Amino acid sequence: MSKKIMLLLPLFFVFIALIPKELKANELLLKKEDRGEAVVELQEKLIALEYLHSNATGYYGELTEAAVRQFQHDFNLLSDGVAGPQTLTQLKEVEKIARIVHGEARGEPYKGQVAVAAVVKNRLKSPDFPSSVEGVIYQRNAFTAVMDGQYNLTPTPASYKAVRDAWSGWDPSEGATYYYNPAIATSEWIFNWTTPKFTIGKHLFAE
């Protein structure tokens, strides 16, 4: 065996030893009887979405399991009560959409907030837009809130509820993939290349 190979072997075994830890970190799975900070974070998200009606205790008990099951059911995931990678990713995506709703439509009628969430959902289903939540949200010039920093504001419970209602099937936008405030919009493109439908609050929804 050459000296070069002998020198590389220890590094190889160190790399192999690290792989399981990295995989475990990337594939977090929370289930009944678990405890800890990760459970607290999960519970806080479930509370914001009004699935969990208790304090964030850090203990994954029956109430947390039931809340996870209902969340999974509403967002078309396997309803097993276990918060695995898919469920945790969906929770993060819900928060991102809630930030869009809060940044774009806070102060609007609740129906208008649900309509903004529905527009995000409609874009995800449309071949004319990116197929991921992150892709839709960060598409160039897609949302004013992303461009001016309002996306970074903390969503309200109403913003989370609007996302939940939109994903449960309520679409006040009636399939719209665009909306804008005609009183302050400056983009010629939005006026020339979209078809207005109706107004909710200050927002005009369009296709």
Side-chain angles (χ1 to χ4, degrees):
M1 185 180 295
S2 69
K3 289 183 178 180
K4 186 176 181 180
I5 293 176
M6 290 179 68
L7 288 171
L8 288 174
L9 276 175
L11 293 174
F12 174 77
F13 287 118
V14 168
F15 176 73
I16 292 297
L18 288 174
I19 287 178
K21 294 179 182 178
E22 292 175 355
L23 287 175
K24 187 175 182 180
N26 292 330
E27 297 182 5
L28 180 63
L29 186 145
L30 300 171
K31 61 186 184 305
K32 194 173 179 181
E33 304 298 334
D34 283 350
R35 299 174 184 270
E37 187 60 34
V39 177
V40 171
E41 293 178 9
L42 169 65
Q43 290 173 329
E44 288 175 344
K45 288 181 172 62
L46 293 169
I47 290 168
L49 279 162
E50 298 186 349
Y51 284 102
L52 182 61
H53 304 283
S54 69
N55 295 326
T57 63
Y59 171 67
Y60 201 125
E62 291 184 3
L63 293 178
T64 301
E65 183 183 50
V68 170
R69 284 184 186 276
Q70 189 59 52
F71 172 80
Q72 291 169 328
H73 173 269
D74 290 351
F75 285 84
N76 299 313
L77 301 173
L78 176 64
S79 185
D80 59 4
V82 175
Q86 219 176 359
T87 298
L88 296 173
T89 296
Q90 184 69 64
L91 280 164
K92 289 178 183 177
E93 292 185 344
V94 168
E95 180 176 358
K96 291 175 182 177
I97 302 165
R99 287 178 179 274
I100 288 294
V101 172
H102 183 68
E104 296 272 325
R106 68 183 183 281
E108 290 293 302
Y110 181 68
K111 180 180 179 181
Q113 295 181 49
V114 179
V116 167
V119 165
V120 175
K121 183 180 180 182
N122 294 337
R123 289 187 178 190
L124 285 168
K125 296 188 295 183
S126 170
D128 297 328
F129 295 90
S131 59
S132 69
V133 168
E134 191 166 291
V136 166
I137 288 175
Y138 290 108
Q139 188 174 27
R140 185 179 179 185
N141 299 327
F143 295 101
T144 302
V146 173
M147 293 187 287
D148 65 15
Q150 294 186 75
Y151 174 77
N152 297 317
L153 299 174
T154 302
T156 62
S159 302
Y160 284 104
K161 189 173 186 299
V163 180
R164 177 179 177 178
D165 284 343
W167 256 254
S168 294
W170 185 19
D171 182 3
S173 81
E174 297 184 12
T177 49
Y178 295 95
Y179 65 87
Y180 57 93
N181 183 337
I184 60 175
T186 58
S187 170
E188 289 296 325
W189 186 92
I190 200 78
F191 292 114
N192 295 330
W193 294 96
T194 64
T195 303
K197 299 179 70 175
F198 50 79
T199 299
I200 303 176
K202 295 179 181 178
H203 284 142
L204 178 61
F205 290 82
E207 293 180 339

